[in-house]
Amino acid sequence: MSKKRTNKQYAQILWEATKDVKGKDLEEVLKNFVLLLVKEQKFKQSDKIISEFIAYAKKQAGIVEIEVTTATDINKNTLNEIRKVFGGKVEANNKVDKDILGGVIVKTEDKILDGSLKTQLRNLKNKLA
Amino acid sequence: MSVDKIVEELKKNISAFEKTVETKELGVVLEVGDGIARISGLTKCQSNEMLEFPGNTFGVALNLEEETVGAVILGEYKHIKEGDSVKRTGRILSVPVGENFIGRVVNALGQPVDDVGEVKSKEFYPIERIASGVMSREPVSEPVQTGIKAIDALIPIGRGQRELIIGDRQTGKTAVAVDTIINQKGQDLICIYVAVGQKESKIARTVAKLKEHGAMDYTIVVKAGASEPSPLLYIAPYTGVAMAEYFMDKGKDVLVVYDDLTKQAWAYREMSLLLRRPPGREAYPGDVFYLHSRLLERACRLNKENGGGSITALPIIETQASDVTAYIPTNVISITDGQIYLESDLFYKGIRPALNVGLSVSRVGSSAQTKPMKKVAGKIKIGMAQFKEMEAFAQFASDLDEETKKQISLGQRLTEVLKQPQYSPLPVANQVAVIYAVSNGYASEIEIESIQEWESKLHVFFNKTKSSLMEKITKGEWSDDIEKELKDACIDYSKQK
């Protein structure tokens, strides 16, 4: 049995294979890729592989995806301010979560920057206890 | 303090509180099941680092692989789903330690489970720590008095020693350990009882017994019951030794009982197989020897420059059908400084503790024995060995010569006197007195059936009338004069009858 590949690896393979191909060739490559998925019984995972592919492609293009969580709706300007902090190509999603009380939580791919009121209060509680 | 002052103090504290943005590394759960989670991300994660799962659940990273991290979840895992985010804590798995834990029952993470409220502690100790090195140690010199005649006389245990208690189920392994803990009242030895994979009812019974004898005043119970997930069973002994190290660093002597390490090895095997580590002999992973050696290596006697504390370890191993050549028993026998071997045959014959004198050894303990005990125990070792050889002839009693008969009768009386009921540890001085009396033939006229009665009367007699002699023996003094005093006392007792 060949070594099990993760969805991430499939996404990488797809990205490498389609990098510089266009037109008819691209169609051929995609067809072969689907056949590979079927052969390795990974067809069910295709949705996940696609989302991995999107994430990977964005990373290769230098686009950073961030998720901004706030307690209330924030306007575009504020969101843009936050975007600027993370540099040039930033795609920001806004999520509203009343539980965090106030402040802001920014989630990047592998980091979480927690500036929420809830965490601050918890830290204060730990300090006073 | 007045109200104003409190308010002021509080305000000061609050204003001094700095707002900080917490930065944490994040991973995503790929799959979860059987208490194991695979996580993607967490690229900088360390081995044995604590990970925070949603719902205030913690896990430990054990497998660091190319793309993923394999972690075990400490506690309930039903609420963790694929796609949940996992945070790094940056802390190696550690448990709270401190004086406040004495008298408490805690779980493998150091959280109290005895309904007496929370345990206040300021310090944390990592559960995995490199054992003390050669230069900080010294040989064992002080005894651990187990209060069990057969052990204190024949296989003495020193402070800082590792003595294995091994035997089949139902041979009284836990009884030996619990009796030892009970006997430590006023001996300046803190005890930690680690219960791994035991029935909750058995743990409850043990704790109740310890309370009944006032032993909880100097004992911590660390418990990981049979129904708890295997990661907790795996870490419980390490939690116990981490708590012991706190006291050892303070220069105190500690006794840790691991009851039992077989179950811990089972839990580790389960975890390792789920983490897809290659199985070896008896399906244990390759590092199961290291699992026990790194735990037991942490028992030691520190020298004066390092505080002079000690950790004595009493690991327990349960064998199947008396097979000591199985994988785990041989491993642990080779790590420890001797073993107390309990046999079910002896147990059913009524010899309790069911100690097999021939197979039990203590490799370092004799240097820690007190002088009087050393003097009187030397004789019974020879007596017992000769008796073992001649026991088979005992049934031809009438055809034997006088000398052999004498040895058999001495052996029978020694065997009888080394029997001891549970929960009744005996002070050293009494042990010395009774062993001296029997090995010097003062009991040769007594019927075997009435030896026990003879012994209990002897203790009463000695405690009442020979208290100054007993005190000297307790202090560990021994000279020809004291021996003569002991001899005279035995003669007095025999006459009195």
Side-chain angles (χ1 to χ4, degrees):
Chain A
M1 209 181 94
S2 66
K3 209 182 158 225
K4 240 175 123 183
R5 274 185 271 260
T6 62
N7 292 345
K8 208 173 189 171
Q9 281 167 321
Y10 281 109
Q12 271 173 32
I13 294 167
L14 182 61
W15 193 81
E16 296 284 339
T18 55
K19 204 162 47 175
D20 298 316
V21 238
K22 274 182 193 126
K24 260 250 160 89
D25 288 348
L26 184 66
E27 257 173 57
E28 191 67 20
V29 169
L30 288 177
K31 203 176 131 196
N32 284 337
F33 184 73
V34 174
L35 286 175
L36 174 79
L37 290 187
V38 174
K39 195 178 144 203
E40 299 200 353
Q41 302 179 349
K42 283 284 175 181
F43 197 66
K44 263 192 184 164
Q45 300 285 322
S46 50
D47 278 351
K48 281 171 193 162
I49 294 173
I50 289 168
S51 59
E52 283 282 358
F53 176 72
I54 294 169
Y56 188 75
K58 273 181 183 163
K59 204 172 158 192
Q60 293 301 319
I63 299 168
V64 186
E65 226 181 329
I66 60 170
E67 189 188 275
V68 181
T69 312
T70 48
T72 51
D73 277 324
I74 51 168
N75 55 34
K76 276 243 169 75
N77 286 340
T78 324
L79 202 59
N80 277 334
E81 287 292 315
I82 295 170
R83 256 161 84 171
K84 269 182 204 158
V85 179
F86 289 86
K89 298 175 191 167
V90 181
E91 268 182 33
N93 284 323
N94 188 17
K95 201 174 135 191
V96 178
D97 182 2
K98 275 191 182 139
D99 271 356
I100 72 162
L101 302 174
V104 62
I105 298 175
V106 183
K107 233 187 209 176
T108 65
E109 195 207 344
D110 58 0
K111 266 204 184 107
I112 185 162
L113 303 166
D114 192 343
S116 70
L117 199 55
K118 194 183 173 187
T119 311
Q120 304 281 338
L121 287 173
R122 200 183 57 212
N123 289 348
L124 183 62
K125 183 184 156 197
N126 287 344
K127 207 188 158 209
L128 293 179
Chain B
M1 256 205 286
S2 69
V3 179
D4 286 347
K5 229 175 180 181
I6 294 172
V7 172
E8 211 170 285
E9 197 57 30
L10 191 65
K11 272 184 183 163
K12 219 167 84 191
N13 254 313
I14 291 173
S15 61
F17 180 74
E18 271 180 58
K19 277 171 275 171
T20 48
V21 177
E22 263 186 12
T23 317
K24 273 184 175 167
E25 273 183 64
L26 210 63
V28 179
V29 176
L30 289 179
E31 53 176 307
V32 64
D34 299 315
I36 304 286
R38 286 189 169 279
I39 302 153
S40 84
L42 297 178
T43 41
K44 294 207 178 77
C45 180
Q46 309 170 68
S47 176
N48 257 322
E49 183 176 328
M50 271 169 106
L51 303 174
E52 195 185 334
F53 287 88
N56 212 14
T57 309
F58 286 88
V60 186
L62 284 182
N63 274 10
L64 307 180
E65 286 155 22
E66 212 178 314
E67 292 281 331
T68 58
V69 171
V72 292
I73 300 157
L74 303 170
E76 194 50 56
Y77 58 86
K78 295 255 156 62
H79 62 278
I80 297 169
K81 307 183 297 293
E82 186 203 342
D84 278 349
S85 48
V86 184
K87 283 185 227 163
R88 267 188 65 186
T89 59
R91 253 188 328 178
I92 297 296
L93 183 56
S94 42
V95 289
V97 294
E99 313 275 340
N100 292 335
F101 281 96
I102 294 176
R104 302 298 299 267
V105 182
V106 297
N107 66 12
L109 298 173
Q111 295 154 342
V113 289
D114 52 2
D115 296 331
V116 200
E118 99 183 273
V119 184
K120 287 222 165 68
S121 73
K122 283 245 148 74
E123 276 186 79
F124 280 83
Y125 265 49
I127 65 158
E128 297 277 7
R129 207 167 80 157
I130 303 289
S132 305
V134 184
M135 297 316 286
S136 55
R137 294 183 184 228
E138 68 174 29
V140 294
S141 51
E142 269 179 81
V144 172
Q145 301 294 356
T146 62
I148 300 167
K149 281 171 284 186
I151 294 175
D152 284 349
L154 297 168
I155 24 176
I157 302 169
R159 293 191 176 187
Q161 192 183 340
R162 302 157 296 173
E163 182 80 11
L164 171 67
I165 302 172
I166 187 167
D168 272 12
R169 61 184 176 82
Q170 289 293 310
T171 49
K173 299 182 298 299
T174 304
V176 170
V178 170
D179 277 1
T180 307
I181 293 176
I182 288 173
N183 195 43
Q184 300 315 316
K185 197 176 223 167
Q187 305 259 14
D188 201 22
L189 190 69
I190 293 160
C191 301
I192 298 176
Y193 179 76
V194 184
V196 184
Q198 290 182 28
K199 288 176 284 234
E200 300 280 334
S201 63
K202 191 187 170 190
I203 302 171
R205 207 161 56 224
T206 307
V207 173
K209 270 291 166 207
L210 291 176
K211 265 195 192 130
E212 189 187 315
H213 291 87
M216 283 308 278
D217 297 344
Y218 50 85
T219 304
I220 304 171
V221 176
V222 179
K223 145 223 124 120
S227 61
E228 284 173 59
S230 52
L232 293 177
L233 268 61
Y234 156 65
I235 68 165
Y238 296 100
T239 305
V241 78
M243 289 186 172
E245 274 171 347
Y246 170 84
F247 293 109
M248 182 180 72
D249 289 349
K250 294 259 180 302
K252 289 181 182 161
D253 291 335
V254 194
L255 171 83
V256 195
V257 177
Y258 307 107
D259 193 0
D260 63 62
L261 291 187
T262 324
K263 305 251 169 40
Q264 191 216 8
W266 289 353
Y268 188 56
R269 172 168 65 184
E270 184 187 326
M271 268 168 52
S272 298
L273 292 174
L274 289 169
L275 283 166
R276 311 224 173 122
R277 293 181 179 176
R281 181 178 162 189
E282 290 177 28
Y284 289 105
D287 63 341
V288 74
F289 184 87
Y290 182 54
L291 169 81
H292 290 143
S293 67
R294 70 174 190 265
L295 173 73
L296 294 169
E297 226 9 61
R298 286 160 81 176
C300 68
R301 160 111 247 167
L302 292 178
N303 57 21
K304 286 280 162 316
E305 295 85 70
N306 288 284
S310 75
I311 295 178
T312 312
L314 286 182
I316 294 178
I317 289 283
E318 186 177 293
T319 52
Q320 305 291 331
S322 308
D323 183 16
V324 286
T325 58
Y327 194 21
I328 302 300
T330 44
N331 275 355
V332 183
I333 287 172
S334 76
I335 296 163
T336 49
D337 308 309
Q339 67 272 2
I340 294 171
Y341 186 53
L342 302 170
E343 258 182 1
S344 43
D345 285 354
L346 295 172
F347 188 83
Y348 294 124
K349 264 188 211 161
I351 300 172
R352 295 172 199 182
L355 200 82
N356 182 321
V357 180
L359 289 179
S360 302
V361 286
S362 175
R363 288 198 264 266
V364 295
S366 58
S367 58
Q369 231 172 357
T370 62
K371 224 173 167 193
M373 191 48 118
K374 217 181 270 178
K375 290 285 173 201
V376 300
K379 260 190 183 162
I380 65 166
K381 269 185 200 159
I382 300 165
M384 289 300 278
Q386 286 173 339
F387 172 60
K388 276 274 163 265
E389 279 184 13
M390 278 179 284
E391 201 179 8
F393 302 118
Q395 44 190 316
F396 315 118
S398 54
D399 300 338
L400 295 172
D401 62 289
E402 231 14 75
E403 187 61 26
T404 315
K405 265 189 203 165
K406 223 170 129 189
Q407 275 172 357
I408 289 174
S409 113
L410 177 67
Q412 283 169 333
R413 278 165 184 79
L414 278 173
T415 311
E416 203 59 33
V417 98
L418 290 181
K419 287 184 188 172
Q420 197 172 340
Q422 208 178 339
Y423 311 124
S424 54
L426 203 62
V428 214
N430 290 80
Q431 291 186 23
V432 171
V434 70
I435 291 169
Y436 183 85
V438 174
S439 57
N440 285 289
Y442 293 103
S444 51
E445 302 301 315
I446 316 291
E447 288 294 317
I448 289 176
E449 289 77 31
S450 48
I451 287 271
Q452 309 248 310
E453 194 194 331
W454 172 85
E455 188 197 337
S456 58
K457 278 185 186 156
L458 178 130
H459 294 319
V460 175
F461 173 78
F462 269 78
N463 288 344
K464 244 189 206 158
T465 59
K466 308 286 171 194
S467 54
S468 71
L469 171 67
M470 298 299 262
E471 229 164 77
K472 276 182 214 160
I473 296 175
T474 308
K475 275 186 199 144
E477 290 171 28
W478 188 256
S479 63
D480 290 347
D481 289 345
I482 293 175
E483 188 174 351
K484 194 174 173 296
E485 230 179 297
L486 190 58
K487 198 172 171 181
D488 292 342
C490 289
I491 294 168
D492 283 354
Y493 175 63
S494 308
K495 269 188 197 153
Q496 182 208 18
K497 296 269 290 194

